[in-house]
Amino acid sequence: KNEVEQSPQNLTAQEGEFITINCSYSVGISALHWLQQHPGGGIVSLFMLSSGKKKHGRLIATINIQEKHSSLHITASHPRDSAVYICAVRSRRGGSQGNLIFGKGTKLSVKP
Amino acid sequence: NAGVTQTPKFQVLKTGQSMTLQCAQDMNHNSMYWYRQDPGMGLRLIYYSASEGTTDKGEVPNGYNVSRLNKREFSLRLESAAPSQTSVYFCASSTTPAVRAEQFFGPGTRLTVL
């Protein structure tokens, strides 16, 4: 079983819809990251959180440490949101030396 | 301010050939990382450098070597390329290896080994 599981793997939405992408993990973590990979391949960091909720524009990320679960929400989705969204956790195992564990990503396609 | 740059963007090698992937960052970051991304799999850490002068193995180091040339540059070398090393390679950097440091990624190098 993968240590970081994302669902769904693929998601197609109509412009304007509210979107939720889920991430579950099985290890103890010190932080969770949400990343966006553009169709051209570039990867950018969206959020880093260890508790609660963060909001940036139309994007909202939440985390429930007890349930080992995080969600990424996109409100009023737009075709330019089409990308692969990647969840990554920083495990408490092995100290703090750079070991992010990545999910396989959720491919989002927003149709006009 | 270019962020993290990688060269080359694309490369095709024959089995057994060697090559070095270059990575540089201009953000004065202490920590740098090399990842590979394969279809159907998450990004996997190959090697990292927590600070200038140090390097450590990640999850999939076999077949690779790295050099932290200075604070800005971190190179990845394939001494004898194998088809299993066909992948997209990403370099990343962060201010520190600390648990809450955001990582900044380069644009990637798409490598094909025939």
Side-chain angles (χ1 to χ4, degrees), chain A residues 30-31 33 35 37 41-43 45 48 50 86 90 96-100 102-104, chain B residues 33 35 37 40-43 45 48 50 90 97-103 105-107:
Chain A
S30 50
H33 297 246
L35 308 161
Q37 185 167 25
I43 299 173
S45 179
M48 180 173 54
S50 55
I86 301 170
R90 191 178 294 278
S96 64
Q97 296 298 322
N99 290 332
L100 284 174
F102 293 82
K104 295 180 181 180
Chain B
Y33 314 84
Y35 295 96
Q37 185 178 42
M41 302 187 73
L43 286 153
L45 183 65
Y48 62 96
F90 288 95
V99 295
R100 299 197 179 174
E102 180 183 356
Q103 290 192 13
F105 288 81

Side-chain angles (χ1 to χ4, degrees), chain B residues 71-86:
Chain B
K71 192 172 185 179
R72 289 188 64 247
E73 297 172 289
F74 188 40
S75 63
L76 178 72
R77 183 159 177 84
L78 287 70
E79 290 291 352
S80 180
S84 61
Q85 293 177 305
T86 294

Side-chain angles (χ1 to χ4, degrees), chain A residues 68-87:
Chain A
K68 294 187 174 179
H69 181 268
S70 175
S71 293
L72 177 69
H73 305 286
I74 305 174
T75 62
S77 60
H78 189 276
R80 65 175 174 267
D81 297 324
S82 298
V84 176
Y85 292 84
I86 301 170
C87 171

Side-chain angles (χ1 to χ4, degrees), chain A residues 20-39:
Chain A
T20 296
I21 299 170
N22 296 299
C23 176
S24 297
Y25 52 92
S26 57
V27 296
I29 70 166
S30 50
L32 182 143
H33 297 246
W34 281 103
L35 308 161
Q36 180 191 54
Q37 185 167 25
H38 298 293

Side-chain angles (χ1 to χ4, degrees), chain A residues 46-47 53-62 75:
Chain A
L46 297 175
F47 295 102
K53 176 178 172 178
K54 285 191 175 181
K55 185 175 189 292
H56 185 258
R58 296 180 293 105
L59 301 178
I60 303 165
T62 64
T75 62

Side-chain angles (χ1 to χ4, degrees), chain B residues 26-84:
Chain B
D26 61 2
M27 296 174 283
N28 200 35
H29 285 171
N30 291 301
S31 303
M32 298 184 75
Y33 314 84
W34 275 106
Y35 295 96
R36 61 178 288 173
Q37 185 178 42
D38 301 297
M41 302 187 73
L43 286 153
R44 292 182 292 168
L45 183 65
I46 304 171
Y47 271 94
Y48 62 96
S49 171
S51 60
E52 186 180 356
T54 70
T55 60
D56 285 286
K57 294 178 180 179
E59 182 185 352
V60 287
N62 291 345
Y64 304 96
N65 286 300
V66 290
S67 296
R68 183 75 183 265
L69 303 169
N70 47 54
K71 192 172 185 179
R72 289 188 64 247
E73 297 172 289
F74 188 40
S75 63
L76 178 72
R77 183 159 177 84
L78 287 70
E79 290 291 352
S80 180
S84 61

